[in-house]
Amino acid sequence: MPQGINAGDTAYVLACAGLVMLMTPGLAFFYAGMVRSKNALGTIMQSFAALAVISLQWALFGYSLAFGADRGGLIGDFSFAFLRGVGSAPSPYAPTIPHAAFMLFQMMFAVITPALITGAFAERKRFTAYLLFMVLWATFVYDPVAHWVWGAGGWLNKMGALDFAGGTVVHISSGVTALVAAVMMGRRHGYGFEEMRPHNLTLTLLGTGLLWFGWFGFNGGSALAANGLAVSATVATHLAAAAGALGWMAAEGIQRRQCTALGAASGAVAGLVGITPAAGFVGPMAAAAIGLIVGVVCFLAVALKSRLGYDDSLDTFGVHGVGGTVGALLTGVFASAAIQAGKTGLLEGNAHQLLVQAIGVGATIAYSVVVSIVLLKLVDALLGLRVHRDEETLGLDLSQHGETAYDLAA
C-alpha cells in the first residue's frame, strides 16, 4: 500500500461512492413515479443514461477540468485527462486515499447533477437532444463550477466559500438550469387543462428512500475519511431530511388540510438538498433547523409555480434550485467552529461568511443561467429540443425508445 494511504478511509470512501452511485437509480424511481405511465420508462432512461455518458466524460476530461491544475481560478487544465496519473498514489485532495478513489467518488456527483435537471423537462424532451445537452452542460457548467468551489486554486475556494458536499456545485447549478429549460421549452401540451397526476407514488417513495440512504454517502463521504467529521455530517444529513419532511407536511397540512405522500417525499428531499452545503459545518440541532426551514420554503416555492405559469414538471427548481440556495445561505448563518475549527457563521460573529456565501450563490446562478441558455439554443438548432406534439401525446416510452414501462397486454 502506498505510504500515507489508510485502508479504513479508502474502504469508507469506496463504499460512499457506491452509495452516491445508487442515488441516480433512486432519482430515476423518484421522478418516474411522478410522471404519467406513458413516460415512466423514458424518465428512468434519462437518469440511467447519465450513469453511462457522464462516467465516460468524467474519465476522459471532466475530472481534469474540475480538479486539474488551476488556470486563473476558473478551470482546471488537462493534466488528468484520460485519467493520466490517477491511480493508487495518494490523492492531492485527500492524502489518506488513492487518487483513483477520490476521482471515482467525485464522478458520482458529476453523474447525478445533470440527471437532476431532467425533472424540469420531463415528458417532452427529445432523448438525443438530452444526451448532447448533458455532455455539453457537464463540460461547460458543472466542471467549471466544481473547480471554482472545490478545485485547488478555484476562485470561490480561495475566497472561503463553504460548500461541503455540493449545495452550490450540484443543486443550485442544476436547479436554475432546470428553470431555464422549463421556460425555454414551454409547457407540456395540455398543461393546466388535462389531468397530469403522478401515476405511481409507490415508485416515488421507493426513490425517496434510496436517495435518503445514498445521501449518507453523498454528505458523509465528503469528509473523505472515516472520522468524526463523517459521523457529524451523516447525523446532520439524517436530521435535516426528517425535519424537511416534517416542515413540508406541516405547511401542506395548514394550507390543504392534508399531508400527502408526495409532500412527505418532496420535503425529505428538500431537507437533504438544504443540508448538503452545510453538513460538515453545522451541529445536529442547526441541521434540523436548516431542514425545517428549507422544507417550508421549498413548499412555498413549488406552490408559487402555478401562479407564475411555468411548467417545471417535477419541481426541480422549487426543490433543488431554491433548496440549494437557502441551504448555502444558511450555511453562512449556522457554521460552527465546534464542527470545523475556523469555520464560523453569522451566529458566531462572522457576518462576512454570509456575504461570501451570497457571492457564491449569485455567481453560480448567473453563470449557470447564461451558459445554459446558450447550450439549449445550440442543441435546439442542431437536433431540436422537444419531441413533436404527436410523439408527446403518444408518450416518450414509445416515441423515443419503442418500449413501455408496463406491458399490461402481456
Side-chain angles (χ1 to χ4, degrees):
M1 182 177 293
Q3 187 175 7
I5 298 295
N6 180 280
D9 290 348
T10 302
Y12 176 68
V13 171
L14 287 176
C16 287
L19 287 172
V20 183
M21 179 270 173
L22 185 64
M23 290 175 70
T24 300
L27 179 73
F29 286 129
F30 180 75
Y31 278 169
M34 288 192 279
V35 298
R36 290 167 288 180
S37 59
K38 64 183 180 180
N39 297 306
L41 188 64
T43 300
I44 291 173
M45 269 294 292
Q46 289 174 339
S47 290
F48 192 82
L51 270 171
V53 174
I54 301 302
S55 293
L56 291 175
Q57 183 269 359
W58 190 249
L60 293 174
F61 56 85
Y63 175 69
S64 195
L65 293 176
F67 291 98
D70 178 64
R71 290 293 180 266
L74 300 175
I75 195 70
D77 66 4
F78 287 101
S79 55
F80 297 140
F82 299 93
L83 300 184
R84 183 173 57 249
V86 181
S88 60
S91 166
Y93 291 90
T96 64
I97 64 173
H99 196 171
F102 176 80
M103 180 280 300
L104 181 67
F105 179 69
Q106 292 295 338
M107 176 190 288
M108 300 311 163
F109 285 68
V111 164
I112 196 172
T113 306
L116 292 171
I117 303 170
T118 64
F121 49 69
E123 302 194 306
R124 60 195 187 277
K125 189 163 187 176
R126 193 182 304 276
F127 186 66
T128 52
Y130 163 66
L131 295 177
L132 178 58
F133 175 73
M134 177 170 51
V135 174
L136 292 173
W137 189 88
T139 302
F140 292 102
V141 177
Y142 181 84
D143 296 342
V145 174
H147 184 80
W148 295 357
V149 178
W150 293 329
W155 72 276
L156 284 174
N157 190 330
K158 290 191 292 185
M159 186 180 288
L162 301 179
D163 187 357
F164 190 70
T168 303
V169 178
V170 175
H171 298 293
I172 295 178
S173 67
S174 63
V176 298
T177 299
L179 178 61
V180 170
V183 171
M184 288 183 64
M185 292 182 63
R187 303 177 186 180
R188 288 166 288 178
H189 294 298
Y191 179 76
F193 302 98
E194 296 179 11
E195 192 69 65
M196 295 184 177
R197 291 183 299 176
H199 89 283
N200 191 339
L201 286 176
T202 304
L203 275 184
T204 296
L205 289 173
L206 171 62
T208 304
L210 290 173
L211 286 169
W212 195 329
F213 176 62
W215 230 292
F216 290 167
F218 200 81
N219 289 355
S222 292
L224 300 174
N227 55 21
L229 181 59
V231 174
S232 178
T234 304
V235 171
T237 299
H238 186 67
L239 292 177
L246 183 62
W248 190 298
M249 285 191 293
E252 191 175 48
I254 292 171
Q255 185 184 74
R256 303 175 182 173
R257 300 293 188 265
Q258 287 182 322
C259 297
T260 65
L262 180 58
S266 299
V269 173
L272 290 163
V273 169
I275 197 59
T276 293
F281 305 112
V282 303
M285 294 301 101
I290 290 172
L292 187 66
I293 293 168
V294 171
V296 174
V297 172
C298 287
F299 169 80
L300 296 174
V302 169
L304 190 62
K305 178 181 71 171
S306 59
R307 296 186 182 181
L308 296 177
Y310 65 91
D311 184 12
D312 175 7
S313 310
L314 310 181
D315 301 321
T316 302
F317 172 71
V319 173
H320 296 275
V322 173
T325 297
V326 174
L329 294 175
L330 290 178
T331 302
V333 174
F334 290 106
S336 174
I339 306 302
Q340 281 205 58
K343 308 296 185 184
T344 58
L346 181 65
L347 294 183
E348 294 190 2
N350 184 13
H352 178 69
Q353 188 61 55
L354 182 57
L355 174 62
V356 172
Q357 296 301 107
I359 291 172
V361 167
T364 302
I365 290 173
Y367 180 77
S368 300
V369 166
V370 172
V371 178
S372 296
I373 289 173
V374 173
L375 296 179
L376 285 164
K377 285 184 175 294
L378 175 62
V379 173
D380 193 30
L382 293 174
L383 299 174
L385 285 172
R386 188 164 177 165
V387 297
H388 296 301
R389 183 167 188 153
D390 57 345
E391 293 177 313
E392 185 177 330
T393 301
L394 180 64
L396 299 187
D397 291 8
L398 284 172
S399 70
Q400 300 299 292
H401 306 290
E403 301 170 300
T404 60
Y406 307 102
D407 190 355
L408 299 181

